[in-house]
Amino acid sequence: MRSTRPISSTESDEKYFEFDKDAVRNVIREFLNGVMEAEACEQAGARPYERTDGRMAYRNGSKNRDLVTRYGRVELKKPQLRGVPFETSVFARYSRAEQAIVNTICESYLQGISTRKMKNVLSLLDVDVSRSTVSRITKELDEAVHEFLSRPLGVMPYIYVDATYIKVRDHGMYLSKAVYTAMGINEEGYKEMIGVRVMQREDEDSWKEFFQELLKRGLQGVRLVVSDGHRGIKQAVRKEFLGSAWQYCHVHFRRNVLKTVPMKERRAVNELLKEHMESPHLLANFSEELKAKGYEKAGSIIEKNLEDLFNYLAFPAYQWPKLRTTNTLENIHSVIKKRIKPIGAFPNDDSVLRVVVSMLIDVNEEFATDKRHINVYRNEQ
């Protein structure tokens, strides 16, 4: 018997996108045209044909403007105003990261990386590949990257650091290189991406070099550095940020403990571990319990790291949830990995920076308008 169950909007959308290859581009086109229309109304002080004393400019039609996205070329209608320039955030903000991705794909194609795959991607993007095109886009992106990575820093009470790994072509070989990133919480309590660097390896000397670069740009007032349990980070923090504490991310710590526990026991141990991580005393007792159950290595990991897991307790209690993990930075890394998936391997370190920094510039702009991450100077009740 035929089902009469109504099709949900989600199912309908899935079928629409499955059978119409232009669907995503159509959605992007309608959305961005709508954004620009709203911007035009705001700048003109009136809707089209509206009679009002508050009008500041009159409409003067529109111009077609192409925007290359990872879903292909989208033709938009950019509104025009009579007598005053129309300003829009669409091309400045939306296209920067997309152009960085297109640039890297083009550069990879010209250098012979995964030629067949690159051809397929370029045909979907509907872009014209030429060395002059790559050179032009590269110049624009490099200026933005340099400006972002050299801007002065200031007081950042808390910073979060992490590394993600990206494949890069180096002297004809494909290597996995570490991309260091740092996020700070400024004096007003807002998040800010403060540093990015591509490194050959992840060790103490490399992290010291990265931290020294941040300090040269004016980073100061650091009280707590939060990261995973990499020994190189821990040692570098103690040498470069004198008077600061290092906080071992609780999520990374739990992962490391659970790796030593049999798979069938991990869920139960994880729940108990969360409960006992509310205080050093409880966690020390749990370490003994694990050893008594035969999980000697898990108990030893807890004992070894106990002093670095609770440095956040020295700060106001309302800040604790934001100081225990690097979750925000990890989420940013996951988005970066998803976006760069079509590239596969990068042709060089500069291409990595163009794409990653272009994306982080957009992230930084979102941080500036986002809600305060930590109210640094709030008086506790």
Side-chain angles (χ1 to χ4, degrees), residues 15-117:
K15 290 187 176 182
Y16 175 62
F17 286 114
E18 180 181 353
F19 292 104
D20 187 348
K21 294 181 179 180
D22 294 327
V24 178
R25 281 187 288 188
N26 291 338
V27 171
I28 292 174
R29 180 185 300 110
E30 292 301 317
F31 173 72
L32 295 182
N33 278 337
V35 170
M36 288 192 289
E37 181 64 28
E39 289 174 326
C41 290
E42 183 178 356
Q43 292 171 40
R47 295 189 297 273
Y49 309 109
E50 181 184 10
R51 295 180 181 275
T52 173
D53 294 335
R55 181 180 289 278
M56 296 176 286
Y58 287 88
R59 302 292 287 270
N60 191 27
S62 62
K63 285 186 178 180
N64 291 338
R65 171 78 184 270
D66 284 350
L67 176 65
V68 175
T69 76
R70 58 201 152 125
Y71 299 106
R73 190 182 298 275
V74 177
E75 186 178 279
L76 303 175
K77 291 188 178 296
K78 183 182 177 183
Q80 301 294 300
L81 299 178
R82 190 176 301 161
V84 295
F86 169 66
E87 297 180 357
T88 176
S89 62
V90 168
F91 296 100
R93 294 189 62 181
Y94 184 86
S95 65
R96 179 170 43 223
E98 301 297 344
Q99 284 286 59
I101 293 172
V102 170
N103 168 264
T104 301
I105 291 174
C106 292
E107 192 174 354
S108 301
Y109 174 71
L110 292 175
Q111 293 196 24
I113 297 177
S114 304
T115 305
R116 185 173 62 180
K117 180 182 178 182

